[in-house]
Amino acid sequence: MLVTLPQLAAFLAAAMLITVTPGPDNLMVLSQGISRGRSQGMAFGLGCALGCLNHTLLAALGVSALIAASPLAFAALKIAGGAYLVYLGWGAIRSSGASFDANAQASGPQGSLAATFRRGLIANAINPKVVLFFLAFLPQFVNPAQGPVGLQTAILGALFTLQGALIFGALGYFSGHVGQWLAKSRKASQWLDRIAGAVFIGLGLRLILAR
């Protein structure tokens, strides 16, 4: 089997935890939903999620090319990617918790849902930090012995995009309630950051030490 069920389950659990942790993308989705309505929040969130397909393509092509061209280069990518995940994890653990001002209104006219979708898509697709994250995160759950690495990476990236679309869509829909919770529950937000940070560090060390 190209991708096993335990492999998918582990990946999906990590992906969902990372997606629900308060960060720039989901805070932007909440801001859109609170200031412009549920439909706008959901449209922006769907755009953000589908922007991950661009990073999936880059990761699938880049990792496959490195494996084919140079095992040494792939090893260097693993070490660099692992160090980057540890860095992200340490930053999350040290975070004081994401804050969200529910009274911060987005400027400008509401605009069409298509325009809001495009803004979310572009905001995510051109973010170089997300490119680096996908290059470090997706290979963790790829097993070269099971088949083409590029295809496995593409499947995992598509799954990440799907769960992201569902979670961001829910955030857009329930934006008012979630925004109020984040505005009041800094402690809960801080613990989400710490849990996600521990996951990042664990994955980073696993990637660095993997043979």
Side-chain angles (χ1 to χ4, degrees):
M1 184 180 293
L2 188 62
V3 182
T4 65
L5 287 179
Q7 185 180 4
L8 288 176
F11 173 79
L12 188 59
M16 291 178 66
L17 176 60
I18 290 166
T19 303
V20 300
T21 301
D25 282 346
N26 43 28
L27 292 183
M28 285 191 293
V29 173
L30 287 172
S31 177
Q32 291 286 323
I34 289 175
S35 62
R36 298 180 175 180
R38 288 176 171 175
S39 296
Q40 294 285 328
M42 293 173 71
F44 189 87
L46 183 59
C48 279
L50 292 185
C52 293
L53 293 176
N54 175 63
H55 310 308
T56 297
L57 178 62
L58 293 175
L61 295 176
V63 172
S64 298
L66 275 177
I67 290 177
S70 170
L72 182 60
F74 181 63
L77 173 65
K78 290 205 304 178
I79 293 173
Y84 181 65
L85 289 177
V86 170
Y87 168 77
L88 290 178
W90 180 243
I93 287 176
R94 295 182 61 203
S95 170
S96 60
S99 60
F100 181 78
D101 183 2
N103 297 315
Q105 300 294 311
S107 60
Q110 177 169 304
S112 69
L113 293 179
T116 302
F117 170 82
R118 285 195 298 271
R119 285 198 297 272
L121 180 70
I122 293 171
N124 186 288
I126 65 174
N127 189 339
K129 291 184 178 180
V130 184
V131 175
L132 291 175
F133 169 73
F134 266 60
L135 282 172
F137 181 66
L138 294 184
Q140 301 255 1
F141 300 90
V142 169
N143 186 349
Q146 292 174 193
V149 170
L151 185 54
Q152 289 185 61
T153 303
I155 292 172
L156 295 176
L159 182 61
F160 190 99
T161 301
L162 177 60
Q163 64 85 33
L166 293 174
I167 291 176
F168 284 163
L171 282 176
Y173 187 81
F174 296 106
S175 51
H177 297 299
V178 178
Q180 292 172 7
W181 177 78
L182 279 180
K184 297 176 182 178
S185 304
R186 178 69 68 89
K187 206 71 176 175
S189 175
Q190 186 179 45
W191 275 105
L192 277 176
D193 276 343
R194 288 175 176 173
I195 293 170
V199 171
F200 275 129
I201 291 175
L203 289 174
L205 294 176
R206 176 173 175 254
L207 185 60
I208 293 171
L209 299 175
R211 294 184 178 180

